[in-house]
Amino acid sequence: MASLFLALAVITNGLYAGFLLTFLVVVMPGLAVLPDDGFTAAMRRFNEKVPGPGFLIVFLGVIAFPVATLATGNSGWGWPLVAGALACAVLSHVVTIAGNIPLNKALAVAESVSEPLSEPVAAPASVSAPAAAAPGEGEEAGEVGERADSAARTAFEARWNILHQIRTALSLAAFILLIIAAN
């Protein structure tokens, strides 16, 4: 039974580490080049969609399966590796729960002061708005929204990325330790 739980621990930790690594090396660099309104809108939508059922199974599995492996008696030299992986996974979750999630919630709250788009646009508002509006028209509301998005991004992005790097490194370490334990 321990070997089944160890296999499930490897799989869930690999999926989770891969998800975090993809965000680190692909998604966040892609979002970094967006203007403030695009960045904040995209991060808010990710934060709404990520904690779905599939993600939660993996998120909880990275803790539950190593615990089950240890509880069912993974004897031999592999148990310290599984325990180390569990410690890394727990620390990664602590970073997520104590750091990233509060930043996500603060970003969501900041949305209420941003100016919502009334309809989808092909180009960012910062590109199309000056050409569409005559000088002095609509600048006050637009400026408030731009300042709100800029302030929200400033308060969010750098801190979130640092925390994300930490949790990604911890998740990768957990995955590597579990692979070694499984061999």
Side-chain angles (χ1 to χ4, degrees):
M1 188 59 92
S3 60
L4 172 64
F5 287 131
L6 180 56
L8 292 170
V10 170
I11 291 167
T12 56
N13 275 271
L15 289 170
Y16 188 63
F19 173 77
L20 294 178
L21 186 61
T22 299
F23 239 83
L24 180 68
V25 300
V26 177
V27 175
M28 293 311 292
L31 294 178
V33 299
L34 292 176
D36 293 340
D37 61 337
F39 175 88
T40 56
M43 283 306 299
R44 288 175 182 128
R45 298 307 78 84
F46 284 131
N47 294 335
E48 291 168 0
K49 297 295 181 188
V50 166
F55 176 80
L56 289 177
I57 290 169
V58 173
F59 186 77
L60 298 174
V62 301
I63 303 291
F65 292 125
V67 166
T69 301
L70 293 171
T72 55
N74 183 10
S75 59
W77 65 272
W79 79 265
L81 295 169
V82 175
L86 177 60
C88 289
V90 167
L91 287 172
S92 174
H93 279 27
V94 167
V95 170
T96 299
I97 293 165
N100 294 90
I101 290 174
L103 288 170
N104 293 347
K105 288 180 179 180
L107 187 65
V109 168
E111 183 173 28
S112 64
V113 297
S114 296
E115 180 179 81
L117 294 175
S118 59
E119 58 185 33
V121 292
S126 60
V127 174
S128 61
E137 290 182 304
E139 288 181 353
E140 189 174 306
E143 287 175 9
V144 169
E146 288 174 19
R147 282 195 308 263
D149 285 330
S150 179
R153 183 177 189 168
T154 299
F156 176 87
E157 185 175 20
R159 289 176 56 206
W160 194 93
N161 281 331
I162 290 168
L163 293 168
H164 186 69
Q165 291 168 1
I166 294 167
R167 68 184 178 168
T168 301
L170 287 165
S171 295
L172 288 169
F175 179 53
I176 291 166
L177 288 170
L178 288 167
I179 289 174
I180 296 168
N183 288 324

PDB file of all heavy atoms in Angstrom, residues 101-138:
ATOM      1  N   ILE A 101      -2.168  33.961  -1.253  1.00  0.00           N
ATOM      2  CA  ILE A 101      -3.627  34.113  -1.193  1.00  0.00           C
ATOM      3  C   ILE A 101      -4.038  35.478  -0.648  1.00  0.00           C
ATOM      4  O   ILE A 101      -4.921  36.118  -1.229  1.00  0.00           O
ATOM      5  CB  ILE A 101      -4.279  32.942  -0.431  1.00  0.00           C
ATOM      6  CG1 ILE A 101      -4.159  31.667  -1.279  1.00  0.00           C
ATOM      7  CG2 ILE A 101      -5.735  33.239  -0.098  1.00  0.00           C
ATOM      8  CD1 ILE A 101      -4.635  30.396  -0.591  1.00  0.00           C
ATOM      9  N   PRO A 102      -3.416  35.993   0.430  1.00  0.00           N
ATOM     10  CA  PRO A 102      -3.779  37.349   0.860  1.00  0.00           C
ATOM     11  C   PRO A 102      -3.509  38.410  -0.213  1.00  0.00           C
ATOM     12  O   PRO A 102      -4.293  39.351  -0.365  1.00  0.00           O
ATOM     13  CB  PRO A 102      -2.915  37.588   2.098  1.00  0.00           C
ATOM     14  CG  PRO A 102      -2.661  36.220   2.640  1.00  0.00           C
ATOM     15  CD  PRO A 102      -2.557  35.339   1.424  1.00  0.00           C
ATOM     16  N   LEU A 103      -2.431  38.250  -0.974  1.00  0.00           N
ATOM     17  CA  LEU A 103      -2.171  39.187  -2.071  1.00  0.00           C
ATOM     18  C   LEU A 103      -3.240  39.064  -3.155  1.00  0.00           C
ATOM     19  O   LEU A 103      -3.692  40.072  -3.706  1.00  0.00           O
ATOM     20  CB  LEU A 103      -0.782  38.951  -2.665  1.00  0.00           C
ATOM     21  CG  LEU A 103       0.392  39.382  -1.791  1.00  0.00           C
ATOM     22  CD1 LEU A 103       1.711  38.883  -2.383  1.00  0.00           C
ATOM     23  CD2 LEU A 103       0.423  40.891  -1.613  1.00  0.00           C
ATOM     24  N   ASN A 104      -3.655  37.829  -3.458  1.00  0.00           N
ATOM     25  CA  ASN A 104      -4.727  37.624  -4.440  1.00  0.00           C
ATOM     26  C   ASN A 104      -6.022  38.297  -3.989  1.00  0.00           C
ATOM     27  O   ASN A 104      -6.721  38.928  -4.785  1.00  0.00           O
ATOM     28  CB  ASN A 104      -4.983  36.128  -4.640  1.00  0.00           C
ATOM     29  CG  ASN A 104      -3.831  35.406  -5.294  1.00  0.00           C
ATOM     30  OD1 ASN A 104      -2.909  36.013  -5.827  1.00  0.00           O
ATOM     31  ND2 ASN A 104      -3.862  34.092  -5.216  1.00  0.00           N
ATOM     32  N   LYS A 105      -6.338  38.156  -2.706  1.00  0.00           N
ATOM     33  CA  LYS A 105      -7.558  38.769  -2.171  1.00  0.00           C
ATOM     34  C   LYS A 105      -7.472  40.289  -2.212  1.00  0.00           C
ATOM     35  O   LYS A 105      -8.458  40.958  -2.542  1.00  0.00           O
ATOM     36  CB  LYS A 105      -7.817  38.272  -0.756  1.00  0.00           C
ATOM     37  CG  LYS A 105      -8.271  36.834  -0.715  1.00  0.00           C
ATOM     38  CD  LYS A 105      -8.531  36.349   0.695  1.00  0.00           C
ATOM     39  CE  LYS A 105      -9.007  34.908   0.673  1.00  0.00           C
ATOM     40  NZ  LYS A 105      -9.264  34.394   2.015  1.00  0.00           N
ATOM     41  N   ALA A 106      -6.309  40.845  -1.887  1.00  0.00           N
ATOM     42  CA  ALA A 106      -6.132  42.301  -1.942  1.00  0.00           C
ATOM     43  C   ALA A 106      -6.286  42.805  -3.373  1.00  0.00           C
ATOM     44  O   ALA A 106      -6.873  43.869  -3.611  1.00  0.00           O
ATOM     45  CB  ALA A 106      -4.773  42.696  -1.378  1.00  0.00           C
ATOM     46  N   LEU A 107      -5.774  42.046  -4.334  1.00  0.00           N
ATOM     47  CA  LEU A 107      -5.926  42.428  -5.738  1.00  0.00           C
ATOM     48  C   LEU A 107      -7.393  42.389  -6.151  1.00  0.00           C
ATOM     49  O   LEU A 107      -7.862  43.266  -6.877  1.00  0.00           O
ATOM     50  CB  LEU A 107      -5.094  41.502  -6.628  1.00  0.00           C
ATOM     51  CG  LEU A 107      -5.010  41.881  -8.101  1.00  0.00           C
ATOM     52  CD1 LEU A 107      -4.284  43.212  -8.295  1.00  0.00           C
ATOM     53  CD2 LEU A 107      -4.302  40.783  -8.889  1.00  0.00           C
ATOM     54  N   ALA A 108      -8.124  41.407  -5.683  1.00  0.00           N
ATOM     55  CA  ALA A 108      -9.556  41.324  -5.999  1.00  0.00           C
ATOM     56  C   ALA A 108     -10.312  42.501  -5.406  1.00  0.00           C
ATOM     57  O   ALA A 108     -11.189  43.076  -6.062  1.00  0.00           O
ATOM     58  CB  ALA A 108     -10.137  40.013  -5.475  1.00  0.00           C
ATOM     59  N   VAL A 109      -9.991  42.891  -4.183  1.00  0.00           N
ATOM     60  CA  VAL A 109     -10.641  44.035  -3.546  1.00  0.00           C
ATOM     61  C   VAL A 109     -10.322  45.317  -4.308  1.00  0.00           C
ATOM     62  O   VAL A 109     -11.191  46.174  -4.488  1.00  0.00           O
ATOM     63  CB  VAL A 109     -10.213  44.151  -2.061  1.00  0.00           C
ATOM     64  CG1 VAL A 109     -10.641  45.470  -1.465  1.00  0.00           C
ATOM     65  CG2 VAL A 109     -10.773  42.991  -1.265  1.00  0.00           C
ATOM     66  N   ALA A 110      -9.100  45.428  -4.791  1.00  0.00           N
ATOM     67  CA  ALA A 110      -8.692  46.626  -5.530  1.00  0.00           C
ATOM     68  C   ALA A 110      -9.451  46.772  -6.844  1.00  0.00           C
ATOM     69  O   ALA A 110      -9.527  47.865  -7.399  1.00  0.00           O
ATOM     70  CB  ALA A 110      -7.190  46.614  -5.790  1.00  0.00           C
ATOM     71  N   GLU A 111     -10.048  45.692  -7.337  1.00  0.00           N
ATOM     72  CA  GLU A 111     -10.801  45.746  -8.591  1.00  0.00           C
ATOM     73  C   GLU A 111     -12.010  46.667  -8.471  1.00  0.00           C
ATOM     74  O   GLU A 111     -12.411  47.310  -9.442  1.00  0.00           O
ATOM     75  CB  GLU A 111     -11.252  44.349  -9.011  1.00  0.00           C
ATOM     76  CG  GLU A 111     -11.971  44.349 -10.349  1.00  0.00           C
ATOM     77  CD  GLU A 111     -12.268  42.946 -10.846  1.00  0.00           C
ATOM     78  OE1 GLU A 111     -12.428  42.033 -10.038  1.00  0.00           O
ATOM     79  OE2 GLU A 111     -12.336  42.786 -12.078  1.00  0.00           O
ATOM     80  N   SER A 112     -12.568  46.754  -7.298  1.00  0.00           N
ATOM     81  CA  SER A 112     -13.772  47.563  -7.135  1.00  0.00           C
ATOM     82  C   SER A 112     -13.514  49.045  -7.359  1.00  0.00           C
ATOM     83  O   SER A 112     -14.437  49.786  -7.667  1.00  0.00           O
ATOM     84  CB  SER A 112     -14.384  47.335  -5.752  1.00  0.00           C
ATOM     85  OG  SER A 112     -13.501  47.784  -4.753  1.00  0.00           O
ATOM     86  N   VAL A 113     -12.252  49.488  -7.242  1.00  0.00           N
ATOM     87  CA  VAL A 113     -11.956  50.899  -7.496  1.00  0.00           C
ATOM     88  C   VAL A 113     -11.462  51.140  -8.913  1.00  0.00           C
ATOM     89  O   VAL A 113     -11.332  52.270  -9.342  1.00  0.00           O
ATOM     90  CB  VAL A 113     -10.922  51.468  -6.487  1.00  0.00           C
ATOM     91  CG1 VAL A 113     -11.476  51.431  -5.093  1.00  0.00           C
ATOM     92  CG2 VAL A 113      -9.606  50.736  -6.586  1.00  0.00           C
ATOM     93  N   SER A 114     -11.185  50.054  -9.648  1.00  0.00           N
ATOM     94  CA  SER A 114     -10.761  50.187 -11.040  1.00  0.00           C
ATOM     95  C   SER A 114     -11.968  50.406 -11.923  1.00  0.00           C
ATOM     96  O   SER A 114     -13.057  49.936 -11.631  1.00  0.00           O
ATOM     97  CB  SER A 114     -10.031  48.926 -11.506  1.00  0.00           C
ATOM     98  OG  SER A 114      -8.851  48.757 -10.793  1.00  0.00           O
ATOM     99  N   GLU A 115     -11.747  51.059 -13.030  1.00  0.00           N
ATOM    100  CA  GLU A 115     -12.829  51.295 -13.981  1.00  0.00           C
ATOM    101  C   GLU A 115     -13.045  50.040 -14.808  1.00  0.00           C
ATOM    102  O   GLU A 115     -12.141  49.604 -15.518  1.00  0.00           O
ATOM    103  CB  GLU A 115     -12.451  52.463 -14.888  1.00  0.00           C
ATOM    104  CG  GLU A 115     -13.489  52.808 -15.908  1.00  0.00           C
ATOM    105  CD  GLU A 115     -13.055  53.975 -16.748  1.00  0.00           C
ATOM    106  OE1 GLU A 115     -12.273  53.769 -17.680  1.00  0.00           O
ATOM    107  OE2 GLU A 115     -13.495  55.081 -16.461  1.00  0.00           O
ATOM    108  N   PRO A 116     -14.210  49.390 -14.746  1.00  0.00           N
ATOM    109  CA  PRO A 116     -14.449  48.200 -15.555  1.00  0.00           C
ATOM    110  C   PRO A 116     -14.639  48.560 -17.027  1.00  0.00           C
ATOM    111  O   PRO A 116     -15.130  49.633 -17.345  1.00  0.00           O
ATOM    112  CB  PRO A 116     -15.731  47.616 -14.965  1.00  0.00           C
ATOM    113  CG  PRO A 116     -16.428  48.787 -14.352  1.00  0.00           C
ATOM    114  CD  PRO A 116     -15.343  49.746 -13.911  1.00  0.00           C
ATOM    115  N   LEU A 117     -14.254  47.643 -17.880  1.00  0.00           N
ATOM    116  CA  LEU A 117     -14.473  47.835 -19.309  1.00  0.00           C
ATOM    117  C   LEU A 117     -15.932  47.522 -19.619  1.00  0.00           C
ATOM    118  O   LEU A 117     -16.474  46.529 -19.148  1.00  0.00           O
ATOM    119  CB  LEU A 117     -13.570  46.907 -20.121  1.00  0.00           C
ATOM    120  CG  LEU A 117     -12.074  47.177 -20.022  1.00  0.00           C
ATOM    121  CD1 LEU A 117     -11.325  46.094 -20.787  1.00  0.00           C
ATOM    122  CD2 LEU A 117     -11.726  48.542 -20.574  1.00  0.00           C
ATOM    123  N   SER A 118     -16.566  48.344 -20.425  1.00  0.00           N
ATOM    124  CA  SER A 118     -17.965  48.105 -20.746  1.00  0.00           C
ATOM    125  C   SER A 118     -18.119  47.023 -21.809  1.00  0.00           C
ATOM    126  O   SER A 118     -19.124  46.360 -21.883  1.00  0.00           O
ATOM    127  CB  SER A 118     -18.621  49.409 -21.220  1.00  0.00           C
ATOM    128  OG  SER A 118     -17.938  49.901 -22.351  1.00  0.00           O
ATOM    129  N   GLU A 119     -17.111  46.848 -22.653  1.00  0.00           N
ATOM    130  CA  GLU A 119     -17.156  45.804 -23.673  1.00  0.00           C
ATOM    131  C   GLU A 119     -15.731  45.413 -24.017  1.00  0.00           C
ATOM    132  O   GLU A 119     -14.794  46.178 -23.811  1.00  0.00           O
ATOM    133  CB  GLU A 119     -17.891  46.290 -24.927  1.00  0.00           C
ATOM    134  CG  GLU A 119     -17.275  47.534 -25.550  1.00  0.00           C
ATOM    135  CD  GLU A 119     -18.103  48.063 -26.711  1.00  0.00           C
ATOM    136  OE1 GLU A 119     -19.333  47.941 -26.668  1.00  0.00           O
ATOM    137  OE2 GLU A 119     -17.500  48.585 -27.650  1.00  0.00           O
ATOM    138  N   PRO A 120     -15.530  44.192 -24.524  1.00  0.00           N
ATOM    139  CA  PRO A 120     -14.182  43.756 -24.876  1.00  0.00           C
ATOM    140  C   PRO A 120     -13.581  44.649 -25.961  1.00  0.00           C
ATOM    141  O   PRO A 120     -14.280  45.128 -26.847  1.00  0.00           O
ATOM    142  CB  PRO A 120     -14.388  42.337 -25.405  1.00  0.00           C
ATOM    143  CG  PRO A 120     -15.732  41.920 -24.930  1.00  0.00           C
ATOM    144  CD  PRO A 120     -16.533  43.165 -24.736  1.00  0.00           C
ATOM    145  N   VAL A 121     -12.286  44.858 -25.874  1.00  0.00           N
ATOM    146  CA  VAL A 121     -11.577  45.648 -26.872  1.00  0.00           C
ATOM    147  C   VAL A 121     -10.426  44.829 -27.411  1.00  0.00           C
ATOM    148  O   VAL A 121      -9.876  43.991 -26.719  1.00  0.00           O
ATOM    149  CB  VAL A 121     -11.056  46.982 -26.278  1.00  0.00           C
ATOM    150  CG1 VAL A 121     -12.210  47.898 -25.926  1.00  0.00           C
ATOM    151  CG2 VAL A 121     -10.164  46.750 -25.083  1.00  0.00           C
ATOM    152  N   ALA A 122     -10.064  45.087 -28.664  1.00  0.00           N
ATOM    153  CA  ALA A 122      -8.979  44.345 -29.287  1.00  0.00           C
ATOM    154  C   ALA A 122      -7.624  44.818 -28.788  1.00  0.00           C
ATOM    155  O   ALA A 122      -6.700  44.040 -28.666  1.00  0.00           O
ATOM    156  CB  ALA A 122      -9.058  44.488 -30.810  1.00  0.00           C
ATOM    157  N   ALA A 123      -7.488  46.086 -28.497  1.00  0.00           N
ATOM    158  CA  ALA A 123      -6.225  46.636 -28.023  1.00  0.00           C
ATOM    159  C   ALA A 123      -6.411  47.108 -26.591  1.00  0.00           C
ATOM    160  O   ALA A 123      -7.516  47.419 -26.172  1.00  0.00           O
ATOM    161  CB  ALA A 123      -5.811  47.812 -28.915  1.00  0.00           C
ATOM    162  N   PRO A 124      -5.317  47.159 -25.822  1.00  0.00           N
ATOM    163  CA  PRO A 124      -5.434  47.665 -24.453  1.00  0.00           C
ATOM    164  C   PRO A 124      -6.011  49.070 -24.434  1.00  0.00           C
ATOM    165  O   PRO A 124      -5.787  49.865 -25.346  1.00  0.00           O
ATOM    166  CB  PRO A 124      -3.982  47.666 -23.950  1.00  0.00           C
ATOM    167  CG  PRO A 124      -3.256  46.713 -24.838  1.00  0.00           C
ATOM    168  CD  PRO A 124      -3.977  46.750 -26.165  1.00  0.00           C
ATOM    169  N   ALA A 125      -6.770  49.379 -23.380  1.00  0.00           N
ATOM    170  CA  ALA A 125      -7.419  50.686 -23.259  1.00  0.00           C
ATOM    171  C   ALA A 125      -6.414  51.815 -23.308  1.00  0.00           C
ATOM    172  O   ALA A 125      -6.688  52.879 -23.840  1.00  0.00           O
ATOM    173  CB  ALA A 125      -8.233  50.757 -21.970  1.00  0.00           C
ATOM    174  N   SER A 126      -5.206  51.578 -22.785  1.00  0.00           N
ATOM    175  CA  SER A 126      -4.204  52.637 -22.778  1.00  0.00           C
ATOM    176  C   SER A 126      -3.749  52.990 -24.194  1.00  0.00           C
ATOM    177  O   SER A 126      -3.271  54.076 -24.442  1.00  0.00           O
ATOM    178  CB  SER A 126      -2.997  52.235 -21.930  1.00  0.00           C
ATOM    179  OG  SER A 126      -2.417  51.059 -22.469  1.00  0.00           O
ATOM    180  N   VAL A 127      -3.913  52.059 -25.154  1.00  0.00           N
ATOM    181  CA  VAL A 127      -3.544  52.339 -26.536  1.00  0.00           C
ATOM    182  C   VAL A 127      -4.690  53.017 -27.275  1.00  0.00           C
ATOM    183  O   VAL A 127      -4.493  53.968 -28.000  1.00  0.00           O
ATOM    184  CB  VAL A 127      -3.152  51.029 -27.267  1.00  0.00           C
ATOM    185  CG1 VAL A 127      -2.910  51.284 -28.731  1.00  0.00           C
ATOM    186  CG2 VAL A 127      -1.929  50.419 -26.613  1.00  0.00           C
ATOM    187  N   SER A 128      -5.935  52.529 -27.078  1.00  0.00           N
ATOM    188  CA  SER A 128      -7.048  53.040 -27.860  1.00  0.00           C
ATOM    189  C   SER A 128      -7.711  54.268 -27.254  1.00  0.00           C
ATOM    190  O   SER A 128      -8.284  55.053 -27.980  1.00  0.00           O
ATOM    191  CB  SER A 128      -8.091  51.936 -28.062  1.00  0.00           C
ATOM    192  OG  SER A 128      -8.584  51.498 -26.820  1.00  0.00           O
ATOM    193  N   ALA A 129      -7.654  54.449 -25.954  1.00  0.00           N
ATOM    194  CA  ALA A 129      -8.387  55.538 -25.313  1.00  0.00           C
ATOM    195  C   ALA A 129      -7.927  56.925 -25.751  1.00  0.00           C
ATOM    196  O   ALA A 129      -8.757  57.762 -26.079  1.00  0.00           O
ATOM    197  CB  ALA A 129      -8.320  55.416 -23.791  1.00  0.00           C
ATOM    198  N   PRO A 130      -6.639  57.225 -25.822  1.00  0.00           N
ATOM    199  CA  PRO A 130      -6.259  58.578 -26.214  1.00  0.00           C
ATOM    200  C   PRO A 130      -6.717  58.945 -27.624  1.00  0.00           C
ATOM    201  O   PRO A 130      -7.113  60.063 -27.876  1.00  0.00           O
ATOM    202  CB  PRO A 130      -4.735  58.575 -26.123  1.00  0.00           C
ATOM    203  CG  PRO A 130      -4.420  57.502 -25.129  1.00  0.00           C
ATOM    204  CD  PRO A 130      -5.489  56.474 -25.346  1.00  0.00           C
ATOM    205  N   ALA A 131      -6.715  57.998 -28.543  1.00  0.00           N
ATOM    206  CA  ALA A 131      -7.139  58.307 -29.899  1.00  0.00           C
ATOM    207  C   ALA A 131      -8.652  58.521 -29.965  1.00  0.00           C
ATOM    208  O   ALA A 131      -9.137  59.290 -30.774  1.00  0.00           O
ATOM    209  CB  ALA A 131      -6.738  57.178 -30.849  1.00  0.00           C
ATOM    210  N   ALA A 132      -9.407  57.829 -29.111  1.00  0.00           N
ATOM    211  CA  ALA A 132     -10.857  57.898 -29.177  1.00  0.00           C
ATOM    212  C   ALA A 132     -11.428  59.106 -28.450  1.00  0.00           C
ATOM    213  O   ALA A 132     -12.484  59.589 -28.794  1.00  0.00           O
ATOM    214  CB  ALA A 132     -11.459  56.626 -28.573  1.00  0.00           C
ATOM    215  N   ALA A 133     -10.740  59.595 -27.435  1.00  0.00           N
ATOM    216  CA  ALA A 133     -11.278  60.690 -26.638  1.00  0.00           C
ATOM    217  C   ALA A 133     -10.614  62.008 -27.008  1.00  0.00           C
ATOM    218  O   ALA A 133      -9.427  62.055 -27.268  1.00  0.00           O
ATOM    219  CB  ALA A 133     -11.053  60.398 -25.156  1.00  0.00           C
ATOM    220  N   ALA A 134     -11.423  63.035 -27.058  1.00  0.00           N
ATOM    221  CA  ALA A 134     -10.873  64.370 -27.267  1.00  0.00           C
ATOM    222  C   ALA A 134     -10.194  64.808 -25.975  1.00  0.00           C
ATOM    223  O   ALA A 134     -10.534  64.325 -24.896  1.00  0.00           O
ATOM    224  CB  ALA A 134     -12.002  65.337 -27.635  1.00  0.00           C
ATOM    225  N   PRO A 135      -9.210  65.705 -26.035  1.00  0.00           N
ATOM    226  CA  PRO A 135      -8.532  66.144 -24.830  1.00  0.00           C
ATOM    227  C   PRO A 135      -9.528  66.625 -23.781  1.00  0.00           C
ATOM    228  O   PRO A 135     -10.446  67.377 -24.074  1.00  0.00           O
ATOM    229  CB  PRO A 135      -7.647  67.293 -25.324  1.00  0.00           C
ATOM    230  CG  PRO A 135      -7.461  67.034 -26.791  1.00  0.00           C
ATOM    231  CD  PRO A 135      -8.722  66.334 -27.226  1.00  0.00           C
ATOM    232  N   GLY A 136      -9.339  66.125 -22.570  1.00  0.00           N
ATOM    233  CA  GLY A 136     -10.188  66.542 -21.466  1.00  0.00           C
ATOM    234  C   GLY A 136     -11.425  65.683 -21.268  1.00  0.00           C
ATOM    235  O   GLY A 136     -12.046  65.739 -20.233  1.00  0.00           O
ATOM    236  N   GLU A 137     -11.802  64.873 -22.269  1.00  0.00           N
ATOM    237  CA  GLU A 137     -13.006  64.046 -22.145  1.00  0.00           C
ATOM    238  C   GLU A 137     -12.675  62.715 -21.470  1.00  0.00           C
ATOM    239  O   GLU A 137     -11.793  62.003 -21.905  1.00  0.00           O
ATOM    240  CB  GLU A 137     -13.598  63.740 -23.525  1.00  0.00           C
ATOM    241  CG  GLU A 137     -14.219  64.926 -24.198  1.00  0.00           C
ATOM    242  CD  GLU A 137     -14.812  64.516 -25.520  1.00  0.00           C
ATOM    243  OE1 GLU A 137     -14.073  63.960 -26.349  1.00  0.00           O
ATOM    244  OE2 GLU A 137     -16.013  64.747 -25.710  1.00  0.00           O
ATOM    245  N   GLY A 138     -13.376  62.411 -20.408  1.00  0.00           N
ATOM    246  CA  GLY A 138     -13.243  61.115 -19.760  1.00  0.00           C
ATOM    247  C   GLY A 138     -11.923  60.873 -19.066  1.00  0.00           C
ATOM    248  O   GLY A 138     -11.666  59.774 -18.631  1.00  0.00           O
TER     249      GLY A 138
END
